[in-house]
Structures are given as C-alpha cells and as structure tokens.
Amino acid sequence: MTDVTLEVPSKRKSILIANFTNGQVNRKRCDDLSIGHFTSSQNRPGSQKRKQILVAETDQMAYVGQNFGTSADRSQNFCRYYVGVRDKDTGKMTICDAEIFNMLPKLPGDNQEESQKEDLSLSYAEKNDFLTEAFGSKKKQKAMENRLMNRSAAKSMETIMESASKQALSQRSHEPRHQVEDQTDGIPPCNKEAASRTEVYSLHNIISPGEMEALTTPAQVFFDSAYEQVKQWKEQKTYPEYVTSHLMTMPLAESERWKMSKCLMYLHYLITLNNLNTHTLGQKTPLPVEWPGAVIEQLLKKFTMKVESGGRIRRCRPARLKDKTISYILVLCLMIDEYEVEVTELMMDLKLSLERIQNHFRALGCTFTSKKGVTMVGRPLSINFASLNVPLTFPDPSARKKKKGR
C-alpha cells in the first residue's frame, strides 16, 4: 500500500464540484463539455460569499448551477465540504474546500431571470411534470399524459355544468318563479321583533301540518323505542348521533313523546338529505322509497332544484340551498333543546367545523358560549353551546364586506 502524507495548507484552495441533477455524465463525453465559471464582484446580501454561476455546455444541451436562488445547494449553509487531492509523484494529499453546484438542464436561448420567476410560480407537481416530459421513460410520460387529459376533461365538465346551471337559473328553471324567490333567503321565516325566544321561529314553518301528519307512521318506531333498542341503534350508527342521544331521554307524556318522535324523524330525514353526494342526488329517486311520499316531495321541493344540462334534467343543490338545509336543521335542534344546543354531535352529523357551525348559528340570531369541563381521564374539555336569546343579535353585513375587501 502506498504511503500518503496529509497536507493542510494555511490558505486552502476552493474546488468546484458539479452535481448533474438528471444523471451522471458519460465519461467518454466529458471532453465535449465546455465549462465556464462566473463570479460576481460584490458579496451576496447578508453573506460573506459572492454570487457564482457554473455553466457546462455541449452541442445539444446547457447546464447551469449557481450558489444562490432556489436551485442552490442549501446544505452548504449548515456544513462544509472538503476534497482531498493526491499528488501521485510526491504521495502528498492536499485538503481543499469544496463548493457544490446543482447543475440543472437549460435549453439554449432561455432567459435565466424569466426561468427563475417561472420556477417560483410553478408548483412541485408542475416542475416534476416538466422533468418527466424531458427525461422520463415512455411509461411515465404516458401516465402523465393520461393524468393531464383526465384533469382537463374534469375542468371542462365543471365549466359545462356551471354554464348550464347559470342558464337554467336565468331561463329554464323548472321550479315555479315564486318558489325560487322564496328560496333566496337561507333561513326560515324569522320574527326579529319577538318578545320571547319561543316566538322567533315557528315549528309550522319547519314542518308543515301535512308533513307532520305523514310522519306518524315512520315516527312510531321512535315512540315505541326502548333503551336497549336505542343503544343498539347508537352502536350500529343507524341514525345520526344527535337523534340517538335524544332518544335516550324521551318525554313520558304521550302528546310530547309523539311530537318529539316526529321532530327527530324529520331531523333524521334532513340530515340524510344534507349529506347526499352529487351522484346519489342525480338519481331518479335520491331519497329512500320507504319515506312518506308527501315528505319526500316537500324536501326535494324546498332544498333541491332541477336544471337542464346536455339535454337532460338533473337535480342539484347549489350552495344557497345547502346553507338553507343546514339552517332548517339548526332551527329544529334549537326547538328540540329548548333554544340552547350543545354543538359537538351536530358537528359530527353535518361534517362541519366549529367555525362553520358558529357562522350558521350566528346567522340565525344565536350567540355562542363555551363551558369548561373535564373528560373521564381528567383532561380539560371545552363544550360549546349555541343559544337563542332575545333581543336577537345578527352579524353585521358591513363588517363582513370590509373584511372581504381587506
């Protein structure tokens, strides 16, 4: 084995190392590379180092690396690299500082500054697609083309559906005109000058007398329910969490028990309708056929609409009707809970965040309070309640517009 003497000069030279990001350079083609190194006369802002650019060119391609910007090797900010250069004649190895340049492919004629700005505006996935297009295998390129085609088709379909919806709303709406105008308000009829909270909303405006009568047969199962049956429903998630928890504490008086049974069954119907996906809603019979026909007709009439798209009539739920459905659900819950609702179960049933359900309750004139508690294992717990009190307090629309403007 040859002896090597290690030499560390007081003033070490700096060696440039080129790291080609798209693969190693063929050794037989190294002589074809033209290397250029450019150094700025001024230091980089906030750094002792100067800007440097390393360029390697062939007849077909140019590669550029730099020690600044997004393509720079950031690891050199936290550590230093060294290279040992051995002299075969003397057997001495000299330790030199090293700077690593990530060499990125650049087509001739590209403007470096424009490409940097473009890189900053592109997402990681878009940059990856550009590399796949330039250097990926046929299999990867084919997969990328299929993915981009599917994305383009989805965007086109969204545009078509949006255009068809707007046209249907303005010209070919299949709902009576007076009904569409009634649906523009997202909350149930509200008495803002009510002297008591029981007078703010009326149950008849949530569940019509005809619907209440039609609910008698399906609500029988709630009226006759026992604790063990309700416990089984809760475990099997047959009904929403809010419904099963209230079935545990049903009134004993017959008239009140019937009223609660019908309200909880109608609430189950509303939550089911609210959680329908677009595919199910587009079917000929989107709601279960075992539900009372009169109730199904009124639910679809109040909370959905029909539009014409591509020569076909489709049923949909625009954002304003989704908000309307949630408002009716929350008002019914306020009546069931005597105008103070704990919102945890509703958040799970409606798949809403705390902020969104707060916004819906505030639009109904409610205020929010938070009460502290502890879990069974002793951890602190915050329980949120929505309360309807008079005089009513509604969000200030002007403050919301100012916030949007900012």
PDB file of all heavy atoms in Angstrom, residues 8 38 46 50 68 108 112 117 137 145 157 202 210 217 221 270 273 280-282 319 337 341 350 359 368 384 388 395:
ATOM      1  N   VAL A   8      -2.247  20.078   5.047  1.00  0.00           N
ATOM      2  CA  VAL A   8      -3.341  21.052   5.175  1.00  0.00           C
ATOM      3  C   VAL A   8      -2.741  22.445   5.075  1.00  0.00           C
ATOM      4  O   VAL A   8      -2.162  22.950   6.038  1.00  0.00           O
ATOM      5  CB  VAL A   8      -4.081  20.883   6.512  1.00  0.00           C
ATOM      6  CG1 VAL A   8      -5.243  21.876   6.590  1.00  0.00           C
ATOM      7  CG2 VAL A   8      -4.580  19.468   6.674  1.00  0.00           C
ATOM      8  N   PHE A  38     -18.357  31.893 -13.413  1.00  0.00           N
ATOM      9  CA  PHE A  38     -18.533  33.337 -13.330  1.00  0.00           C
ATOM     10  C   PHE A  38     -18.774  33.727 -11.874  1.00  0.00           C
ATOM     11  O   PHE A  38     -19.573  33.101 -11.176  1.00  0.00           O
ATOM     12  CB  PHE A  38     -19.719  33.783 -14.199  1.00  0.00           C
ATOM     13  CG  PHE A  38     -19.624  33.323 -15.629  1.00  0.00           C
ATOM     14  CD1 PHE A  38     -20.197  32.113 -16.035  1.00  0.00           C
ATOM     15  CD2 PHE A  38     -18.930  34.076 -16.566  1.00  0.00           C
ATOM     16  CE1 PHE A  38     -20.105  31.683 -17.336  1.00  0.00           C
ATOM     17  CE2 PHE A  38     -18.837  33.651 -17.878  1.00  0.00           C
ATOM     18  CZ  PHE A  38     -19.406  32.450 -18.275  1.00  0.00           C
ATOM     19  N   GLY A  46     -26.194  40.025   3.044  1.00  0.00           N
ATOM     20  CA  GLY A  46     -26.235  39.261   4.283  1.00  0.00           C
ATOM     21  C   GLY A  46     -25.310  38.063   4.297  1.00  0.00           C
ATOM     22  O   GLY A  46     -25.479  37.161   5.118  1.00  0.00           O
ATOM     23  N   ARG A  50     -19.738  35.448  -2.453  1.00  0.00           N
ATOM     24  CA  ARG A  50     -20.165  36.145  -3.667  1.00  0.00           C
ATOM     25  C   ARG A  50     -21.015  35.213  -4.531  1.00  0.00           C
ATOM     26  O   ARG A  50     -20.892  33.994  -4.455  1.00  0.00           O
ATOM     27  CB  ARG A  50     -18.941  36.621  -4.455  1.00  0.00           C
ATOM     28  CG  ARG A  50     -18.097  37.642  -3.702  1.00  0.00           C
ATOM     29  CD  ARG A  50     -16.924  38.090  -4.539  1.00  0.00           C
ATOM     30  NE  ARG A  50     -16.133  39.112  -3.836  1.00  0.00           N
ATOM     31  CZ  ARG A  50     -15.058  39.692  -4.351  1.00  0.00           C
ATOM     32  NH1 ARG A  50     -14.639  39.354  -5.571  1.00  0.00           N
ATOM     33  NH2 ARG A  50     -14.406  40.612  -3.660  1.00  0.00           N
ATOM     34  N   PHE A  68     -26.865  30.577  -5.420  1.00  0.00           N
ATOM     35  CA  PHE A  68     -27.927  31.415  -4.887  1.00  0.00           C
ATOM     36  C   PHE A  68     -29.214  31.055  -5.605  1.00  0.00           C
ATOM     37  O   PHE A  68     -29.200  30.403  -6.656  1.00  0.00           O
ATOM     38  CB  PHE A  68     -27.607  32.911  -5.087  1.00  0.00           C
ATOM     39  CG  PHE A  68     -27.465  33.310  -6.535  1.00  0.00           C
ATOM     40  CD1 PHE A  68     -28.542  33.806  -7.239  1.00  0.00           C
ATOM     41  CD2 PHE A  68     -26.251  33.164  -7.199  1.00  0.00           C
ATOM     42  CE1 PHE A  68     -28.414  34.166  -8.574  1.00  0.00           C
ATOM     43  CE2 PHE A  68     -26.118  33.519  -8.525  1.00  0.00           C
ATOM     44  CZ  PHE A  68     -27.200  34.023  -9.220  1.00  0.00           C
ATOM     45  N   PRO A 108     -30.902  26.103 -24.810  1.00  0.00           N
ATOM     46  CA  PRO A 108     -30.281  27.319 -25.344  1.00  0.00           C
ATOM     47  C   PRO A 108     -31.330  28.361 -25.718  1.00  0.00           C
ATOM     48  O   PRO A 108     -32.370  28.040 -26.288  1.00  0.00           O
ATOM     49  CB  PRO A 108     -29.531  26.825 -26.595  1.00  0.00           C
ATOM     50  CG  PRO A 108     -29.325  25.373 -26.361  1.00  0.00           C
ATOM     51  CD  PRO A 108     -30.495  24.900 -25.564  1.00  0.00           C
ATOM     52  N   GLN A 112     -32.488  33.403 -18.204  1.00  0.00           N
ATOM     53  CA  GLN A 112     -32.290  32.872 -16.865  1.00  0.00           C
ATOM     54  C   GLN A 112     -33.225  33.521 -15.849  1.00  0.00           C
ATOM     55  O   GLN A 112     -33.822  32.852 -15.023  1.00  0.00           O
ATOM     56  CB  GLN A 112     -30.820  33.098 -16.445  1.00  0.00           C
ATOM     57  CG  GLN A 112     -30.451  32.490 -15.082  1.00  0.00           C
ATOM     58  CD  GLN A 112     -30.469  30.997 -15.119  1.00  0.00           C
ATOM     59  OE1 GLN A 112     -30.387  30.393 -16.187  1.00  0.00           O
ATOM     60  NE2 GLN A 112     -30.605  30.386 -13.962  1.00  0.00           N
ATOM     61  N   LYS A 117     -38.175  33.226 -12.331  1.00  0.00           N
ATOM     62  CA  LYS A 117     -39.501  33.682 -11.935  1.00  0.00           C
ATOM     63  C   LYS A 117     -40.541  32.612 -12.220  1.00  0.00           C
ATOM     64  O   LYS A 117     -41.475  32.381 -11.460  1.00  0.00           O
ATOM     65  CB  LYS A 117     -39.861  34.971 -12.679  1.00  0.00           C
ATOM     66  CG  LYS A 117     -38.995  36.157 -12.271  1.00  0.00           C
ATOM     67  CD  LYS A 117     -39.373  37.389 -13.072  1.00  0.00           C
ATOM     68  CE  LYS A 117     -38.479  38.580 -12.708  1.00  0.00           C
ATOM     69  NZ  LYS A 117     -38.811  39.770 -13.516  1.00  0.00           N
ATOM     70  N   SER A 137     -39.214   8.051 -18.655  1.00  0.00           N
ATOM     71  CA  SER A 137     -39.393   6.888 -19.532  1.00  0.00           C
ATOM     72  C   SER A 137     -40.737   6.991 -20.262  1.00  0.00           C
ATOM     73  O   SER A 137     -41.601   7.811 -19.908  1.00  0.00           O
ATOM     74  CB  SER A 137     -39.353   5.606 -18.700  1.00  0.00           C
ATOM     75  OG  SER A 137     -40.420   5.587 -17.774  1.00  0.00           O
ATOM     76  N   GLU A 145     -49.432  11.938 -19.381  1.00  0.00           N
ATOM     77  CA  GLU A 145     -50.373  12.417 -20.391  1.00  0.00           C
ATOM     78  C   GLU A 145     -51.811  12.039 -20.039  1.00  0.00           C
ATOM     79  O   GLU A 145     -52.734  12.852 -20.172  1.00  0.00           O
ATOM     80  CB  GLU A 145     -49.999  11.835 -21.760  1.00  0.00           C
ATOM     81  CG  GLU A 145     -48.697  12.420 -22.334  1.00  0.00           C
ATOM     82  CD  GLU A 145     -48.305  11.734 -23.639  1.00  0.00           C
ATOM     83  OE1 GLU A 145     -49.061  10.848 -24.077  1.00  0.00           O
ATOM     84  OE2 GLU A 145     -47.245  12.070 -24.191  1.00  0.00           O
ATOM     85  N   MET A 157     -65.794  19.594 -17.844  1.00  0.00           N
ATOM     86  CA  MET A 157     -67.118  19.202 -17.359  1.00  0.00           C
ATOM     87  C   MET A 157     -67.633  20.198 -16.325  1.00  0.00           C
ATOM     88  O   MET A 157     -68.819  20.571 -16.329  1.00  0.00           O
ATOM     89  CB  MET A 157     -67.050  17.800 -16.736  1.00  0.00           C
ATOM     90  CG  MET A 157     -68.387  17.287 -16.226  1.00  0.00           C
ATOM     91  SD  MET A 157     -69.647  17.194 -17.517  1.00  0.00           S
ATOM     92  CE  MET A 157     -68.984  15.855 -18.509  1.00  0.00           C
ATOM     93  N   SER A 202     -91.205  29.443  14.119  1.00  0.00           N
ATOM     94  CA  SER A 202     -92.401  28.625  14.293  1.00  0.00           C
ATOM     95  C   SER A 202     -92.154  27.230  13.735  1.00  0.00           C
ATOM     96  O   SER A 202     -91.585  27.076  12.642  1.00  0.00           O
ATOM     97  CB  SER A 202     -93.593  29.265  13.581  1.00  0.00           C
ATOM     98  OG  SER A 202     -94.707  28.395  13.581  1.00  0.00           O
ATOM     99  N   GLY A 210     -99.171  19.083   7.001  1.00  0.00           N
ATOM    100  CA  GLY A 210     -99.291  17.875   6.184  1.00  0.00           C
ATOM    101  C   GLY A 210     -98.129  16.929   6.395  1.00  0.00           C
ATOM    102  O   GLY A 210     -98.306  15.697   6.474  1.00  0.00           O
ATOM    103  N   THR A 217     -96.628   7.470  10.863  1.00  0.00           N
ATOM    104  CA  THR A 217     -96.253   6.060  10.702  1.00  0.00           C
ATOM    105  C   THR A 217     -94.749   5.831  10.889  1.00  0.00           C
ATOM    106  O   THR A 217     -94.361   4.949  11.684  1.00  0.00           O
ATOM    107  CB  THR A 217     -96.702   5.555   9.321  1.00  0.00           C
ATOM    108  OG1 THR A 217     -98.117   5.690   9.207  1.00  0.00           O
ATOM    109  CG2 THR A 217     -96.320   4.099   9.127  1.00  0.00           C
ATOM    110  N   VAL A 221     -91.707   4.069  15.331  1.00  0.00           N
ATOM    111  CA  VAL A 221     -90.561   3.307  15.828  1.00  0.00           C
ATOM    112  C   VAL A 221     -89.834   4.085  16.921  1.00  0.00           C
ATOM    113  O   VAL A 221     -89.302   3.489  17.863  1.00  0.00           O
ATOM    114  CB  VAL A 221     -89.611   2.948  14.657  1.00  0.00           C
ATOM    115  CG1 VAL A 221     -88.949   4.194  14.070  1.00  0.00           C
ATOM    116  CG2 VAL A 221     -88.536   1.957  15.106  1.00  0.00           C
ATOM    117  N   LEU A 270     -83.720  15.304   7.242  1.00  0.00           N
ATOM    118  CA  LEU A 270     -82.979  16.492   6.800  1.00  0.00           C
ATOM    119  C   LEU A 270     -81.467  16.234   6.777  1.00  0.00           C
ATOM    120  O   LEU A 270     -80.778  16.636   5.830  1.00  0.00           O
ATOM    121  CB  LEU A 270     -83.287  17.669   7.723  1.00  0.00           C
ATOM    122  CG  LEU A 270     -84.605  18.414   7.503  1.00  0.00           C
ATOM    123  CD1 LEU A 270     -84.791  19.478   8.568  1.00  0.00           C
ATOM    124  CD2 LEU A 270     -84.650  19.045   6.120  1.00  0.00           C
ATOM    125  N   LEU A 273     -80.598  14.044   3.802  1.00  0.00           N
ATOM    126  CA  LEU A 273     -80.606  14.829   2.568  1.00  0.00           C
ATOM    127  C   LEU A 273     -79.367  15.730   2.492  1.00  0.00           C
ATOM    128  O   LEU A 273     -78.738  15.843   1.435  1.00  0.00           O
ATOM    129  CB  LEU A 273     -81.875  15.677   2.496  1.00  0.00           C
ATOM    130  CG  LEU A 273     -81.969  16.686   1.351  1.00  0.00           C
ATOM    131  CD1 LEU A 273     -81.939  15.980   0.004  1.00  0.00           C
ATOM    132  CD2 LEU A 273     -83.225  17.539   1.474  1.00  0.00           C
ATOM    133  N   THR A 280     -75.649  10.407  -5.923  1.00  0.00           N
ATOM    134  CA  THR A 280     -76.925   9.919  -5.401  1.00  0.00           C
ATOM    135  C   THR A 280     -78.039  10.913  -5.666  1.00  0.00           C
ATOM    136  O   THR A 280     -79.164  10.542  -6.012  1.00  0.00           O
ATOM    137  CB  THR A 280     -76.810   9.656  -3.893  1.00  0.00           C
ATOM    138  OG1 THR A 280     -75.715   8.765  -3.654  1.00  0.00           O
ATOM    139  CG2 THR A 280     -78.074   9.031  -3.343  1.00  0.00           C
ATOM    140  N   LEU A 281     -77.741  12.202  -5.532  1.00  0.00           N
ATOM    141  CA  LEU A 281     -78.750  13.235  -5.756  1.00  0.00           C
ATOM    142  C   LEU A 281     -79.225  13.251  -7.206  1.00  0.00           C
ATOM    143  O   LEU A 281     -80.366  13.606  -7.494  1.00  0.00           O
ATOM    144  CB  LEU A 281     -78.181  14.602  -5.377  1.00  0.00           C
ATOM    145  CG  LEU A 281     -79.167  15.767  -5.305  1.00  0.00           C
ATOM    146  CD1 LEU A 281     -80.192  15.518  -4.202  1.00  0.00           C
ATOM    147  CD2 LEU A 281     -78.435  17.064  -5.060  1.00  0.00           C
ATOM    148  N   GLY A 282     -78.352  12.851  -8.138  1.00  0.00           N
ATOM    149  CA  GLY A 282     -78.716  12.852  -9.551  1.00  0.00           C
ATOM    150  C   GLY A 282     -79.557  11.663  -9.976  1.00  0.00           C
ATOM    151  O   GLY A 282     -80.023  11.604 -11.115  1.00  0.00           O
ATOM    152  N   ALA A 319     -75.040  26.103  -3.452  1.00  0.00           N
ATOM    153  CA  ALA A 319     -74.567  26.470  -2.112  1.00  0.00           C
ATOM    154  C   ALA A 319     -75.675  27.090  -1.265  1.00  0.00           C
ATOM    155  O   ALA A 319     -75.790  26.802  -0.067  1.00  0.00           O
ATOM    156  CB  ALA A 319     -73.387  27.429  -2.227  1.00  0.00           C
ATOM    157  N   ASP A 337     -84.052  21.347  21.815  1.00  0.00           N
ATOM    158  CA  ASP A 337     -83.238  21.541  23.023  1.00  0.00           C
ATOM    159  C   ASP A 337     -83.622  22.785  23.811  1.00  0.00           C
ATOM    160  O   ASP A 337     -82.821  23.275  24.619  1.00  0.00           O
ATOM    161  CB  ASP A 337     -81.757  21.617  22.634  1.00  0.00           C
ATOM    162  CG  ASP A 337     -81.142  20.248  22.451  1.00  0.00           C
ATOM    163  OD1 ASP A 337     -81.579  19.306  23.148  1.00  0.00           O
ATOM    164  OD2 ASP A 337     -80.235  20.110  21.625  1.00  0.00           O
ATOM    165  N   VAL A 341     -78.271  24.661  22.431  1.00  0.00           N
ATOM    166  CA  VAL A 341     -77.809  23.423  21.800  1.00  0.00           C
ATOM    167  C   VAL A 341     -76.317  23.245  22.034  1.00  0.00           C
ATOM    168  O   VAL A 341     -75.536  24.177  21.818  1.00  0.00           O
ATOM    169  CB  VAL A 341     -78.091  23.440  20.274  1.00  0.00           C
ATOM    170  CG1 VAL A 341     -77.645  22.138  19.636  1.00  0.00           C
ATOM    171  CG2 VAL A 341     -79.561  23.694  20.005  1.00  0.00           C
ATOM    172  N   LEU A 350     -73.191  16.676  10.662  1.00  0.00           N
ATOM    173  CA  LEU A 350     -73.214  17.535   9.470  1.00  0.00           C
ATOM    174  C   LEU A 350     -71.849  17.683   8.822  1.00  0.00           C
ATOM    175  O   LEU A 350     -71.720  18.337   7.780  1.00  0.00           O
ATOM    176  CB  LEU A 350     -73.737  18.923   9.847  1.00  0.00           C
ATOM    177  CG  LEU A 350     -75.154  18.963  10.419  1.00  0.00           C
ATOM    178  CD1 LEU A 350     -75.523  20.378  10.834  1.00  0.00           C
ATOM    179  CD2 LEU A 350     -76.165  18.431   9.406  1.00  0.00           C
ATOM    180  N   ASN A 359     -70.850  30.140  12.414  1.00  0.00           N
ATOM    181  CA  ASN A 359     -71.352  31.107  11.437  1.00  0.00           C
ATOM    182  C   ASN A 359     -72.822  30.860  11.112  1.00  0.00           C
ATOM    183  O   ASN A 359     -73.618  31.805  10.985  1.00  0.00           O
ATOM    184  CB  ASN A 359     -70.514  31.051  10.162  1.00  0.00           C
ATOM    185  CG  ASN A 359     -69.103  31.571  10.369  1.00  0.00           C
ATOM    186  OD1 ASN A 359     -68.854  32.330  11.300  1.00  0.00           O
ATOM    187  ND2 ASN A 359     -68.186  31.169   9.513  1.00  0.00           N
ATOM    188  N   PHE A 368     -72.867  32.418  20.994  1.00  0.00           N
ATOM    189  CA  PHE A 368     -72.089  31.238  21.354  1.00  0.00           C
ATOM    190  C   PHE A 368     -71.459  31.432  22.719  1.00  0.00           C
ATOM    191  O   PHE A 368     -70.934  32.497  23.048  1.00  0.00           O
ATOM    192  CB  PHE A 368     -71.002  30.984  20.299  1.00  0.00           C
ATOM    193  CG  PHE A 368     -71.247  29.750  19.492  1.00  0.00           C
ATOM    194  CD1 PHE A 368     -72.160  29.761  18.451  1.00  0.00           C
ATOM    195  CD2 PHE A 368     -70.598  28.572  19.783  1.00  0.00           C
ATOM    196  CE1 PHE A 368     -72.406  28.632  17.693  1.00  0.00           C
ATOM    197  CE2 PHE A 368     -70.839  27.424  19.043  1.00  0.00           C
ATOM    198  CZ  PHE A 368     -71.735  27.454  17.999  1.00  0.00           C
ATOM    199  N   ASN A 384     -69.065  23.704  23.679  1.00  0.00           N
ATOM    200  CA  ASN A 384     -69.618  24.888  23.026  1.00  0.00           C
ATOM    201  C   ASN A 384     -71.136  24.783  22.911  1.00  0.00           C
ATOM    202  O   ASN A 384     -71.662  23.740  22.494  1.00  0.00           O
ATOM    203  CB  ASN A 384     -68.996  25.064  21.631  1.00  0.00           C
ATOM    204  CG  ASN A 384     -67.506  25.318  21.708  1.00  0.00           C
ATOM    205  OD1 ASN A 384     -67.065  26.399  22.054  1.00  0.00           O
ATOM    206  ND2 ASN A 384     -66.719  24.303  21.371  1.00  0.00           N
ATOM    207  N   LEU A 388     -80.286  30.835  21.704  1.00  0.00           N
ATOM    208  CA  LEU A 388     -81.146  31.831  21.058  1.00  0.00           C
ATOM    209  C   LEU A 388     -81.799  32.668  22.146  1.00  0.00           C
ATOM    210  O   LEU A 388     -82.612  32.167  22.933  1.00  0.00           O
ATOM    211  CB  LEU A 388     -82.212  31.148  20.195  1.00  0.00           C
ATOM    212  CG  LEU A 388     -83.104  32.079  19.389  1.00  0.00           C
ATOM    213  CD1 LEU A 388     -82.304  32.733  18.272  1.00  0.00           C
ATOM    214  CD2 LEU A 388     -84.298  31.321  18.808  1.00  0.00           C
ATOM    215  N   PRO A 395     -75.073  38.979  12.735  1.00  0.00           N
ATOM    216  CA  PRO A 395     -73.779  39.505  12.260  1.00  0.00           C
ATOM    217  C   PRO A 395     -73.974  40.787  11.473  1.00  0.00           C
ATOM    218  O   PRO A 395     -74.985  40.966  10.791  1.00  0.00           O
ATOM    219  CB  PRO A 395     -73.233  38.369  11.370  1.00  0.00           C
ATOM    220  CG  PRO A 395     -73.994  37.154  11.771  1.00  0.00           C
ATOM    221  CD  PRO A 395     -75.335  37.624  12.232  1.00  0.00           C
TER     222      PRO A 395
END
